[in-house]
Amino acid sequence: MTDSILATPEREALETMVAEADTGGRKPTGLAKSYIFAISLAWALFQLWYASPLPYKLHFGVINDGQARIIHLTFAFLLAFATFPALKSSPRNRIPITDWILAALGVGAATYLLAFYQEISLRPGLPTLPDVVISTIGVLLLLEAARRAVGPALAIIAAVMLVYIFAGPWLPGMMGHKGASLSRVASQMWLTSEGIFGVALGVSTNVVFFFVLFGSLLEKAGAGNYFIQLAFAMLGTFRGGPAKAGVVASGMTGMISGSSIANTVMTGTFTIPLMKRVGYSAVKAGAIEAAAGVNGQLMPPVMGAAAFLIAEYVGITYAEVVKHAFLPAFLTYGALFYIVDIEAAKLGLRGLSRSSTAPIHHSLLRALMTLCGMIILSGVVYWGIGWTKTVFGDAAIWMLGAALLAAYIALLRYKARHPDLPIDDLTKAIVRVPDFFDTARTGLHFLLPVVVLIWCLMVEEMSPGLSAFWGTLFLIFIMVTQRPLVAAFRGEDAFVTRLHEGFDDLISALQNASRNMTSVGIATAAAGIIVGTVSLTGIGLVMTEIVETASGGNLMLMLFLTALICLILGIGMPTTANYVVVATLMAPVLVEVAQQNDLAVPLVAVHLFVFYFGLMADVHPPAGLAAYAAAAISGADPIKTGLQGFWYEIRTGLLPFIFIFNTELLLIDIGDVTHFLLVVVCSIVAMGCFVAATQDWLVTRNRWYETIALLLICFTLFRPGYWLDRLQAPFDARPPADLVKVAETVPQGLTLRFRVKSQSRAGDNVEKLVRLTMRSGKTATQRLQGAGLSLSTLGDTVMVKLVSFGSEAAKYGLAPGDEITAVLVPAHRPSRYLFTLPAFLLLAGIVLLQRRRHRSRLAIAASSG
């Protein structure tokens, strides 16, 4: 391997690694190849039909949610056994007869549910002998499919859960339970929506597939290479420019790829050789790209499909998940950007020269567009053209469609006037950075489907799945027409050929999307076994007891244990499956222990906590696939690359611990614009101080006491209320009778806090702190009912009368009969941000000291030279 180009055998090895991780390593020929192609295409077309309004318009082919989940898993079975070999020694160029048999059995087990859908629904909990036999076959086949497509870890955990169900009566102590019969387990896991065909598989069916398809279409249309080149054109001239371009490109392609390894390979084949050329070591070049590739799953809107699962489990809208996840994602990418700059400063690197000169304000504009591109685009759509919805009503969407069509034709006409950039030559030697505007104009039309997606989500307020469907339709139109239209505008006589190429790209993208979805569909289905076990056996109580016993009831120790569990599980599972497992087992435990420690933690904070640490497993040794992929490109040792990447990822691991205690980082309980700006500024500076401390560099190399001071500044800015809380309590307790009066005064979207006597998951009497988000409502009673809570008052005693199923109140463990003991209102005290002033002054002092040392070293170097 050279520094400038990836050799063909090594590229093929990389493609094989990605395929075995994401799409299956089998590449058969002949009839088997045609079979895989047909099944993949049929799956994509089915999903498009299911999401479209056509079945309801035509009154034909209407499929309900339960049936769609069954068909979704059927396709996943067919591709899992066809594309993922059973063993390393299994043939890659053909499908063995045993796999054909297993695929047929999987189809039979699933289609049995379709064939007898009505009969099964009319006898819930009373399975017949055929039901039990078919269900057993289906569960066993799912375990085998999970072992192949996802890895042994998830299959082992699911199998252990099944054994735990049957072994309950013989287990000692708190592990014991009454157990369940085979027919009861079969009904729970296969015949109802409480197990395999539950929420996780539903999200995969209704939402995830369309976003994976949207990303696959964008990539096949050329958007992936476009984003990489655009990032390089923006940042290549800066110090450590190729590495910075890799970070930004990974963030931009994060909305295309939900896979850490695919994201790493997509940008790394271009950026890693460039990083090595400008002076980064092979280990650091690979580690930077691995960390950037992994963090692509933190970036809204897709977040590696976890955003949609979090919305379902927490019970909030997808838009709220994106809002809560935005600032931490921005901080972790900004911090990695800063790490890259520090590494460049240590090595004394300089940026590459630009193909054309431009004024300094153009450079500043490029930097702004790089960091804030998607924010600006979302703002333009929401506020810039969103007003048309208010003015023109339902006609606004037709006006937008006409405007987008006109813009698309105009952008292609503009693109046709200029030569295409050499996209196919990205890995060749590049010594000059391409012009930003020359690069940008080649792919501006790729932003139009994103505009459709944002419009549907934010203005029309459609569901995520339906929004992705309309964005996908527009993207399909672009894929088919972009080449022939450009050819027509250039006067080329190749319209039919280009149209044929567009359809070929479309079919290939549809197939790739289905191949990528195989492991996701199997993973979410297998995770349903864990969910079903929790509801069937009460193992959640066991987990509560184990973790509480191991942590001694200490919340910080419990958070560390949970983080460790996520990292361990993540070694053998993809992020989505890891999230489902840990969120099911650990998230309720974290919420309950926090409540009993007088800390009201939002549910979304807990779910993002487990998601973040599950994600970090993709980079750390010994099985971080993103690190292995990056090392294959850089030529470095994968273990060293993983260790270096994990060290870079420490900044990502810091954030969950912060937003558990300071929910303002998730933009929760933000009062006004000033408050928002204070949170953002303090968070950015705090993260910068943490990076400077862990990388041992601010302006120059740190002294030991400067590192300690930087960590102290970081803590103070991230948790400005900590020091004030030591002096004065943040809340005053008021009598429970004031609950209704306080609920009336809480602004919409902010939090009502109160203490309640209740029972823990283990049945012990406890007093805990609960928080509810106040929604809109004319009266306090209506606002409380919006959170799922109805109260009864007798004198000074306030009791919980009713808790709505699936509501926020229910998720916090409230139950009828619980007694409200106190209502908490913010205490009148000085602003906690006063404590940020000495932190900023201390930081200024450190900067001045280091700048003086830096100048002295430069002067000494100049005189000696």
Side-chain angles (χ1 to χ4, degrees), residues 48-60 62 466 469-470 473:
L48 288 171
W49 174 264
Y50 168 64
S52 76
L54 278 179
Y56 301 95
K57 298 288 186 182
L58 301 175
H59 303 288
F60 168 76
V62 177
L466 189 57
F469 168 76
W470 289 116
L473 276 192

PDB file of all heavy atoms in Angstrom, residues 48-60 62 466 469-470 473:
ATOM      1  N   LEU A  48     -41.726   0.080  -0.164  1.00  0.00           N
ATOM      2  CA  LEU A  48     -42.236   1.299  -0.802  1.00  0.00           C
ATOM      3  C   LEU A  48     -43.759   1.231  -0.956  1.00  0.00           C
ATOM      4  O   LEU A  48     -44.465   2.221  -0.731  1.00  0.00           O
ATOM      5  CB  LEU A  48     -41.569   1.496  -2.161  1.00  0.00           C
ATOM      6  CG  LEU A  48     -40.094   1.925  -2.125  1.00  0.00           C
ATOM      7  CD1 LEU A  48     -39.488   1.870  -3.532  1.00  0.00           C
ATOM      8  CD2 LEU A  48     -39.950   3.324  -1.539  1.00  0.00           C
ATOM      9  N   TRP A  49     -44.276   0.072  -1.357  1.00  0.00           N
ATOM     10  CA  TRP A  49     -45.721  -0.088  -1.486  1.00  0.00           C
ATOM     11  C   TRP A  49     -46.412   0.059  -0.130  1.00  0.00           C
ATOM     12  O   TRP A  49     -47.444   0.731  -0.012  1.00  0.00           O
ATOM     13  CB  TRP A  49     -46.035  -1.452  -2.096  1.00  0.00           C
ATOM     14  CG  TRP A  49     -47.504  -1.771  -2.133  1.00  0.00           C
ATOM     15  CD1 TRP A  49     -48.219  -2.510  -1.226  1.00  0.00           C
ATOM     16  CD2 TRP A  49     -48.440  -1.339  -3.115  1.00  0.00           C
ATOM     17  NE1 TRP A  49     -49.538  -2.568  -1.583  1.00  0.00           N
ATOM     18  CE2 TRP A  49     -49.713  -1.856  -2.753  1.00  0.00           C
ATOM     19  CE3 TRP A  49     -48.338  -0.577  -4.282  1.00  0.00           C
ATOM     20  CZ2 TRP A  49     -50.853  -1.623  -3.497  1.00  0.00           C
ATOM     21  CZ3 TRP A  49     -49.484  -0.341  -5.035  1.00  0.00           C
ATOM     22  CH2 TRP A  49     -50.714  -0.865  -4.638  1.00  0.00           C
ATOM     23  N   TYR A  50     -45.834  -0.547   0.887  1.00  0.00           N
ATOM     24  CA  TYR A  50     -46.428  -0.503   2.225  1.00  0.00           C
ATOM     25  C   TYR A  50     -46.489   0.921   2.762  1.00  0.00           C
ATOM     26  O   TYR A  50     -47.462   1.313   3.420  1.00  0.00           O
ATOM     27  CB  TYR A  50     -45.613  -1.400   3.162  1.00  0.00           C
ATOM     28  CG  TYR A  50     -45.933  -1.236   4.625  1.00  0.00           C
ATOM     29  CD1 TYR A  50     -47.198  -1.557   5.126  1.00  0.00           C
ATOM     30  CD2 TYR A  50     -44.983  -0.763   5.523  1.00  0.00           C
ATOM     31  CE1 TYR A  50     -47.493  -1.406   6.477  1.00  0.00           C
ATOM     32  CE2 TYR A  50     -45.265  -0.615   6.863  1.00  0.00           C
ATOM     33  CZ  TYR A  50     -46.520  -0.937   7.337  1.00  0.00           C
ATOM     34  OH  TYR A  50     -46.809  -0.779   8.663  1.00  0.00           O
ATOM     35  N   ALA A  51     -45.471   1.734   2.486  1.00  0.00           N
ATOM     36  CA  ALA A  51     -45.425   3.094   3.011  1.00  0.00           C
ATOM     37  C   ALA A  51     -46.248   4.072   2.194  1.00  0.00           C
ATOM     38  O   ALA A  51     -46.633   5.133   2.696  1.00  0.00           O
ATOM     39  CB  ALA A  51     -43.977   3.581   3.060  1.00  0.00           C
ATOM     40  N   SER A  52     -46.522   3.741   0.935  1.00  0.00           N
ATOM     41  CA  SER A  52     -47.174   4.693   0.047  1.00  0.00           C
ATOM     42  C   SER A  52     -48.674   4.779   0.345  1.00  0.00           C
ATOM     43  O   SER A  52     -49.274   3.854   0.905  1.00  0.00           O
ATOM     44  CB  SER A  52     -46.960   4.272  -1.406  1.00  0.00           C
ATOM     45  OG  SER A  52     -47.805   3.191  -1.738  1.00  0.00           O
ATOM     46  N   PRO A  53     -49.296   5.890  -0.059  1.00  0.00           N
ATOM     47  CA  PRO A  53     -50.760   6.006   0.100  1.00  0.00           C
ATOM     48  C   PRO A  53     -51.544   5.262  -0.968  1.00  0.00           C
ATOM     49  O   PRO A  53     -52.776   5.208  -0.909  1.00  0.00           O
ATOM     50  CB  PRO A  53     -50.994   7.521  -0.021  1.00  0.00           C
ATOM     51  CG  PRO A  53     -49.850   8.024  -0.836  1.00  0.00           C
ATOM     52  CD  PRO A  53     -48.680   7.141  -0.533  1.00  0.00           C
ATOM     53  N   LEU A  54     -50.862   4.671  -1.957  1.00  0.00           N
ATOM     54  CA  LEU A  54     -51.552   4.010  -3.071  1.00  0.00           C
ATOM     55  C   LEU A  54     -52.514   2.901  -2.628  1.00  0.00           C
ATOM     56  O   LEU A  54     -53.635   2.818  -3.147  1.00  0.00           O
ATOM     57  CB  LEU A  54     -50.527   3.451  -4.056  1.00  0.00           C
ATOM     58  CG  LEU A  54     -49.941   4.441  -5.064  1.00  0.00           C
ATOM     59  CD1 LEU A  54     -48.917   3.744  -5.947  1.00  0.00           C
ATOM     60  CD2 LEU A  54     -51.054   5.048  -5.915  1.00  0.00           C
ATOM     61  N   PRO A  55     -52.105   2.001  -1.691  1.00  0.00           N
ATOM     62  CA  PRO A  55     -53.050   0.938  -1.305  1.00  0.00           C
ATOM     63  C   PRO A  55     -54.374   1.484  -0.787  1.00  0.00           C
ATOM     64  O   PRO A  55     -55.428   0.892  -1.029  1.00  0.00           O
ATOM     65  CB  PRO A  55     -52.283   0.178  -0.213  1.00  0.00           C
ATOM     66  CG  PRO A  55     -50.856   0.461  -0.493  1.00  0.00           C
ATOM     67  CD  PRO A  55     -50.808   1.845  -1.036  1.00  0.00           C
ATOM     68  N   TYR A  56     -54.329   2.613  -0.085  1.00  0.00           N
ATOM     69  CA  TYR A  56     -55.556   3.192   0.470  1.00  0.00           C
ATOM     70  C   TYR A  56     -56.355   3.923  -0.609  1.00  0.00           C
ATOM     71  O   TYR A  56     -57.584   3.980  -0.542  1.00  0.00           O
ATOM     72  CB  TYR A  56     -55.201   4.139   1.616  1.00  0.00           C
ATOM     73  CG  TYR A  56     -54.446   3.447   2.721  1.00  0.00           C
ATOM     74  CD1 TYR A  56     -53.058   3.471   2.767  1.00  0.00           C
ATOM     75  CD2 TYR A  56     -55.130   2.748   3.719  1.00  0.00           C
ATOM     76  CE1 TYR A  56     -52.357   2.817   3.764  1.00  0.00           C
ATOM     77  CE2 TYR A  56     -54.444   2.092   4.730  1.00  0.00           C
ATOM     78  CZ  TYR A  56     -53.058   2.126   4.745  1.00  0.00           C
ATOM     79  OH  TYR A  56     -52.370   1.475   5.738  1.00  0.00           O
ATOM     80  N   LYS A  57     -55.643   4.470  -1.615  1.00  0.00           N
ATOM     81  CA  LYS A  57     -56.342   5.136  -2.713  1.00  0.00           C
ATOM     82  C   LYS A  57     -57.028   4.116  -3.623  1.00  0.00           C
ATOM     83  O   LYS A  57     -58.145   4.326  -4.099  1.00  0.00           O
ATOM     84  CB  LYS A  57     -55.344   5.971  -3.525  1.00  0.00           C
ATOM     85  CG  LYS A  57     -54.669   7.098  -2.756  1.00  0.00           C
ATOM     86  CD  LYS A  57     -55.616   8.252  -2.472  1.00  0.00           C
ATOM     87  CE  LYS A  57     -54.865   9.408  -1.826  1.00  0.00           C
ATOM     88  NZ  LYS A  57     -55.788  10.530  -1.502  1.00  0.00           N
ATOM     89  N   LEU A  58     -56.308   3.006  -3.849  1.00  0.00           N
ATOM     90  CA  LEU A  58     -56.815   1.990  -4.774  1.00  0.00           C
ATOM     91  C   LEU A  58     -57.696   0.947  -4.082  1.00  0.00           C
ATOM     92  O   LEU A  58     -58.317   0.121  -4.752  1.00  0.00           O
ATOM     93  CB  LEU A  58     -55.649   1.276  -5.465  1.00  0.00           C
ATOM     94  CG  LEU A  58     -54.697   2.162  -6.281  1.00  0.00           C
ATOM     95  CD1 LEU A  58     -53.528   1.340  -6.800  1.00  0.00           C
ATOM     96  CD2 LEU A  58     -55.444   2.819  -7.436  1.00  0.00           C
ATOM     97  N   HIS A  59     -57.693   0.975  -2.730  1.00  0.00           N
ATOM     98  CA  HIS A  59     -58.415  -0.031  -1.945  1.00  0.00           C
ATOM     99  C   HIS A  59     -57.960  -1.442  -2.311  1.00  0.00           C
ATOM    100  O   HIS A  59     -58.758  -2.375  -2.455  1.00  0.00           O
ATOM    101  CB  HIS A  59     -59.938   0.099  -2.140  1.00  0.00           C
ATOM    102  CG  HIS A  59     -60.472   1.442  -1.796  1.00  0.00           C
ATOM    103  ND1 HIS A  59     -60.560   1.892  -0.490  1.00  0.00           N
ATOM    104  CD2 HIS A  59     -60.912   2.460  -2.587  1.00  0.00           C
ATOM    105  CE1 HIS A  59     -61.048   3.114  -0.495  1.00  0.00           C
ATOM    106  NE2 HIS A  59     -61.266   3.495  -1.745  1.00  0.00           N
ATOM    107  N   PHE A  60     -56.653  -1.551  -2.474  1.00  0.00           N
ATOM    108  CA  PHE A  60     -56.072  -2.845  -2.860  1.00  0.00           C
ATOM    109  C   PHE A  60     -54.688  -2.969  -2.209  1.00  0.00           C
ATOM    110  O   PHE A  60     -53.917  -2.026  -2.189  1.00  0.00           O
ATOM    111  CB  PHE A  60     -55.931  -2.935  -4.379  1.00  0.00           C
ATOM    112  CG  PHE A  60     -55.091  -4.098  -4.848  1.00  0.00           C
ATOM    113  CD1 PHE A  60     -55.606  -5.385  -4.850  1.00  0.00           C
ATOM    114  CD2 PHE A  60     -53.780  -3.896  -5.258  1.00  0.00           C
ATOM    115  CE1 PHE A  60     -54.828  -6.453  -5.258  1.00  0.00           C
ATOM    116  CE2 PHE A  60     -52.996  -4.960  -5.671  1.00  0.00           C
ATOM    117  CZ  PHE A  60     -53.530  -6.250  -5.685  1.00  0.00           C
ATOM    118  N   VAL A  62     -53.839  -3.348   0.942  1.00  0.00           N
ATOM    119  CA  VAL A  62     -53.641  -2.683   2.231  1.00  0.00           C
ATOM    120  C   VAL A  62     -53.103  -3.705   3.231  1.00  0.00           C
ATOM    121  O   VAL A  62     -53.670  -4.788   3.396  1.00  0.00           O
ATOM    122  CB  VAL A  62     -54.951  -2.068   2.754  1.00  0.00           C
ATOM    123  CG1 VAL A  62     -54.743  -1.448   4.128  1.00  0.00           C
ATOM    124  CG2 VAL A  62     -55.465  -1.028   1.774  1.00  0.00           C
ATOM    125  N   LEU A 466     -43.020   8.063   6.818  1.00  0.00           N
ATOM    126  CA  LEU A 466     -43.679   8.677   5.668  1.00  0.00           C
ATOM    127  C   LEU A 466     -42.833   9.816   5.100  1.00  0.00           C
ATOM    128  O   LEU A 466     -42.785  10.007   3.876  1.00  0.00           O
ATOM    129  CB  LEU A 466     -45.056   9.194   6.073  1.00  0.00           C
ATOM    130  CG  LEU A 466     -45.969   9.674   4.936  1.00  0.00           C
ATOM    131  CD1 LEU A 466     -46.185   8.572   3.911  1.00  0.00           C
ATOM    132  CD2 LEU A 466     -47.307  10.170   5.496  1.00  0.00           C
ATOM    133  N   PHE A 469     -40.245   8.316   3.062  1.00  0.00           N
ATOM    134  CA  PHE A 469     -40.830   7.789   1.828  1.00  0.00           C
ATOM    135  C   PHE A 469     -40.909   8.867   0.754  1.00  0.00           C
ATOM    136  O   PHE A 469     -40.493   8.646  -0.394  1.00  0.00           O
ATOM    137  CB  PHE A 469     -42.226   7.232   2.112  1.00  0.00           C
ATOM    138  CG  PHE A 469     -43.018   6.925   0.869  1.00  0.00           C
ATOM    139  CD1 PHE A 469     -42.738   5.790   0.128  1.00  0.00           C
ATOM    140  CD2 PHE A 469     -44.033   7.777   0.444  1.00  0.00           C
ATOM    141  CE1 PHE A 469     -43.457   5.512  -1.032  1.00  0.00           C
ATOM    142  CE2 PHE A 469     -44.750   7.500  -0.710  1.00  0.00           C
ATOM    143  CZ  PHE A 469     -44.469   6.367  -1.451  1.00  0.00           C
ATOM    144  N   TRP A 470     -41.425  10.050   1.102  1.00  0.00           N
ATOM    145  CA  TRP A 470     -41.538  11.121   0.109  1.00  0.00           C
ATOM    146  C   TRP A 470     -40.160  11.633  -0.309  1.00  0.00           C
ATOM    147  O   TRP A 470     -39.929  11.938  -1.487  1.00  0.00           O
ATOM    148  CB  TRP A 470     -42.390  12.264   0.660  1.00  0.00           C
ATOM    149  CG  TRP A 470     -43.843  11.909   0.763  1.00  0.00           C
ATOM    150  CD1 TRP A 470     -44.587  11.814   1.901  1.00  0.00           C
ATOM    151  CD2 TRP A 470     -44.726  11.586  -0.315  1.00  0.00           C
ATOM    152  NE1 TRP A 470     -45.880  11.436   1.618  1.00  0.00           N
ATOM    153  CE2 TRP A 470     -45.996  11.292   0.261  1.00  0.00           C
ATOM    154  CE3 TRP A 470     -44.589  11.497  -1.696  1.00  0.00           C
ATOM    155  CZ2 TRP A 470     -47.099  10.945  -0.509  1.00  0.00           C
ATOM    156  CZ3 TRP A 470     -45.687  11.141  -2.473  1.00  0.00           C
ATOM    157  CH2 TRP A 470     -46.922  10.872  -1.890  1.00  0.00           C
ATOM    158  N   LEU A 473     -38.881   9.070  -2.766  1.00  0.00           N
ATOM    159  CA  LEU A 473     -39.492   9.179  -4.093  1.00  0.00           C
ATOM    160  C   LEU A 473     -38.828  10.282  -4.918  1.00  0.00           C
ATOM    161  O   LEU A 473     -38.542  10.098  -6.110  1.00  0.00           O
ATOM    162  CB  LEU A 473     -40.990   9.464  -3.963  1.00  0.00           C
ATOM    163  CG  LEU A 473     -41.931   8.280  -3.756  1.00  0.00           C
ATOM    164  CD1 LEU A 473     -43.377   8.720  -3.938  1.00  0.00           C
ATOM    165  CD2 LEU A 473     -41.620   7.129  -4.696  1.00  0.00           C
TER     166      LEU A 473
END
